[in-house]
């Protein structure tokens, strides 16, 4: 199985400041078709996960442009350029390149 | 816009079978290249993929659960279902159904989730 490792576990951030979450995979996530199937989800307290970013860097409709995804191969990053109160929650990366699908352990973003 | 809604018993006894249904609206489960999955989240913990059924009927399961899991689709009712046999307390979780289009398993639409507790 592809192991997804996120860091940090917890990320206290001051409002208006940037935040960065790392996600590393135990194997390359480049699929045979040339795509890299790395997805980022946000889970606000008491809510279902919400897809933010797919295929590393493609932002979903309605997702604020302060969210961005980057990376390649085995090393990926989710950045929030200026954290707002509504960004509080747990962020998960997930790989869809290889069965079984696997999630990172999550990073909890909170306001300082 | 696709909408998904899970339903099923909130309490299941140990060793029995957990059965959940995901009703889909705003689209058809047989639409080409749509894929339908189940993901669970134990209380206070992270997300675990259970399995996926393709629009074509093909299924893929997490090997850690494969011997106990069945996912099936019901096209006339436009819903898909999860059965998990021989449950234990470790299967207590919020169960989500979700869907995505195309490749990459990037689940785009999610249900609200349903808590299933395994207890006698």
């Amino acid at each position: 199985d592809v192991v997804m490792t996120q860091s940090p576990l917890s990320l206290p951030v001051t409002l208006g400041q940037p935040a960065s979450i790392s996600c590393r995979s135990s194997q390359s996530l480049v699929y045979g078709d040339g795509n890299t199937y790395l997805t980022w989800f946000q889970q606000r307290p008491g809510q279902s996960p919400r897809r933010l970013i797919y295929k590393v860097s493609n932002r979903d409709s309605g997702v604020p442009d302060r969210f961005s995804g980057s990376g390649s191969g085995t090393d990926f990053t989710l950045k929030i350029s200026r954290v707002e109160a509504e960004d509080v929650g747990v962020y998960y990366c997930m790989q869809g390149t290889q069965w079984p699908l696997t999630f990172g352990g999550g990073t909890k973003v909170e306001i300082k | 816009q696709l909408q998904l809604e899970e339903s099923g018993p909130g309490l299941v006894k140990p060793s029995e079978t957990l059965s959940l249904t995901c009703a889909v609206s705003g689209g058809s489960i047989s639409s080409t290249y749509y894929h339908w999955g189940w993901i669970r989240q134990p209380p206070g913990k992270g997300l675990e993929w259970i399995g996926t059924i393709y629009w074509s009927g093909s299924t893929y399961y997490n090997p850690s659960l494969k011997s106990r899991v069945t996912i099936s689709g019901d096209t006339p009712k436009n819903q898909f279902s999860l059965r998990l046999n021989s449950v234990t307390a470790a299967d207590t979780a919020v169960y989500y159904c979700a869907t995505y289009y195309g490749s990459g398993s990037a689940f785009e639409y999610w249900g609200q989730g349903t808590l299933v507790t395994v207890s006698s």
Side-chain angles (χ1 to χ4, degrees), chain A residues 6-7 11 15 17-18 25 27 31 37 43-44 46 51 54-55 68 71 74-75 77 90 93-94 96 101-102 107 109:
Chain A
Q6 283 184 237
S7 62
L11 185 55
L15 286 173
Q17 293 301 302
S25 57
Q27 302 173 33
Y31 189 59
Y37 294 114
Q43 188 175 32
R44 291 172 170 151
R51 195 179 77 178
Y54 61 97
K55 287 196 284 187
S68 64
T74 62
D75 202 347
T77 302
V90 181
C93 60
M94 189 208 80
L101 309 181
T102 47
T107 294
V109 171

Side-chain angles (χ1 to χ4, degrees), chain A residues 39-42 50-54 58-61 63-64 67 78 91:
Chain A
T39 305
W40 288 98
F41 297 95
Q42 173 195 61
R50 169 198 183 195
R51 195 179 77 178
L52 296 177
I53 303 279
Y54 61 97
N58 294 272
R59 196 168 46 243
D60 269 281
S61 173
V63 174
F67 289 93
L78 175 70
Y91 292 78

Side-chain angles (χ1 to χ4, degrees), chain B residues 73-112:
Chain B
D74 186 337
T75 300
K77 292 184 178 179
N78 208 32
Q79 62 188 32
F80 62 106
S81 301
L82 168 70
R83 285 175 58 87
L84 182 65
N85 301 328
S86 305
V87 297
T88 70
D91 295 310
T92 293
V94 174
Y95 286 76
Y96 295 100
C97 58
T99 185
Y100 65 95
Y101 174 84
S103 302
S105 303
F107 294 105
E108 182 177 5
Y109 298 100
W110 293 65
Q112 81 283 0

Side-chain angles (χ1 to χ4, degrees), chain B residues 23-120:
Chain B
V24 177
S25 58
S28 169
I29 67 165
S30 60
S31 293
T32 307
Y33 301 134
Y34 274 90
H35 312 298
W36 311 88
W38 288 96
I39 299 100
R40 70 180 183 179
Q41 184 171 37
K45 295 190 177 180
L47 300 166
E48 179 184 32
W49 172 70
I50 299 170
T52 298
I53 183 166
Y54 277 13
W55 60 279
S56 59
S58 300
T59 51
Y60 299 84
Y61 300 128
N62 192 324
S64 67
L65 300 168
K66 188 173 183 177
S67 63
R68 300 194 289 131
V69 172
T70 304
I71 295 175
S72 59
D74 186 337
T75 300
K77 292 184 178 179
N78 208 32
Q79 62 188 32
F80 62 106
S81 301
L82 168 70
R83 285 175 58 87
L84 182 65
N85 301 328
S86 305
V87 297
T88 70
D91 295 310
T92 293
V94 174
Y95 286 76
Y96 295 100
C97 58
T99 185
Y100 65 95
Y101 174 84
S103 302
S105 303
F107 294 105
E108 182 177 5
Y109 298 100
W110 293 65
Q112 81 283 0
T114 187
L115 174 63
V116 179
T117 301
V118 179
S119 174
S120 55

